[in-house]
Amino acid sequence: MRKLLFESLFRRPFTETAPSPDDAALSELAAAVGRAARRRLGRSLSIREVDAGSCNGCELEIHALNNAYYDVERFGLRFVASPRHADVLMVTGPVTKNMREALERTYHATPNPKWVVAVGDCARDGGCFAGSYAIVGGVAEVIPVDLHIPGCPPNPMTMLQGLLALLERVDAVAS
Ligand code: SF4
């Protein structure tokens, strides 16, 4: 036992090297989202995140957008604390029965024009929680959804691509 403890003090932890995202592709994509947001909204894009009942996996990936590596605020994308300041609602998880009313209220509190992005497989149709007595279903069962970003969970790059696709679609409809 003592030998084991002694060894564990000096042995390196068994961890795998993290995959390295493509720096250039990330910057290019985030800059494109920022440009599209400014073209459409004339300012930064404000996002309110709503957890309607997720396992928190999608939230961890959304939080990564704000970390020192992705740092999306430098491109004009910022997460806000109130739906009243938001352009986009990013909703995760299946909608639980307990969160249904809160999601509806958040949607109605968001000023127009507003867009709803359902993030993750659960947000589409309940995902692995589909059929549970505790959920209503996907986000579209409760509020209108403009875009769905698939994945369990989707990674930050996929979310940026989704936001860009949304802004391009909004531009196409407006012009
Ligand atoms: S899509 Fe996956 S990570 Fe996201 S809430 Fe559902 S189970 Fe969790």
Side-chain angles (χ1 to χ4, degrees):
M1 183 66 181
R2 195 184 297 168
K3 183 170 172 268
L4 211 70
L5 280 171
F6 188 72
E7 277 177 8
S8 64
L9 282 175
F10 296 101
R11 197 189 299 135
R12 289 167 64 87
F14 292 115
T15 53
E16 292 174 16
T17 315
S20 75
D22 184 332
D23 289 10
L26 168 65
S27 294
E28 205 175 295
L29 184 59
V33 177
R35 274 197 305 276
R38 271 186 278 276
R39 195 170 59 236
R40 177 68 194 142
L41 300 165
R43 56 188 165 83
S44 58
L45 187 71
S46 299
I47 303 165
R48 167 70 182 159
E49 203 273 325
V50 183
D51 179 350
S54 91
C55 74
N56 223 26
C58 286
E59 270 64 37
L60 290 173
E61 296 299 316
I62 291 174
H63 289 173
L65 285 169
N66 280 320
N67 70 19
Y69 182 79
Y70 290 100
D71 188 21
V72 290
E73 280 215 14
R74 67 196 150 131
F75 302 107
L77 302 176
R78 60 196 178 100
F79 285 84
V80 292
S82 165
R84 296 190 193 286
H85 303 153
D87 307 301
V88 173
L89 291 181
M90 272 183 122
V91 189
T92 61
V95 182
T96 60
K97 289 186 177 162
N98 286 348
M99 278 298 290
R100 178 184 199 140
E101 186 181 339
L103 181 58
E104 284 170 342
R105 285 189 185 197
T106 304
Y107 179 76
H108 293 304
T110 310
N112 287 316
K114 60 189 165 196
W115 299 280
V116 176
V117 180
V119 177
D121 292 347
C122 291
R124 187 206 326 248
D125 55 10
C128 55
F129 302 104
S132 161
Y133 68 90
I135 72 161
V136 179
V139 176
E141 298 278 334
V142 181
I143 57 175
V145 170
D146 298 288
L147 178 80
H148 172 245
I149 300 176
C152 181
N155 63 40
M157 287 284 273
T158 309
M159 288 188 225
L160 281 174
Q161 281 164 343
L163 286 173
L164 184 58
L166 173 74
L167 288 163
E168 281 172 354
R169 191 197 297 174
V170 169
D171 267 345
V173 170
S175 57

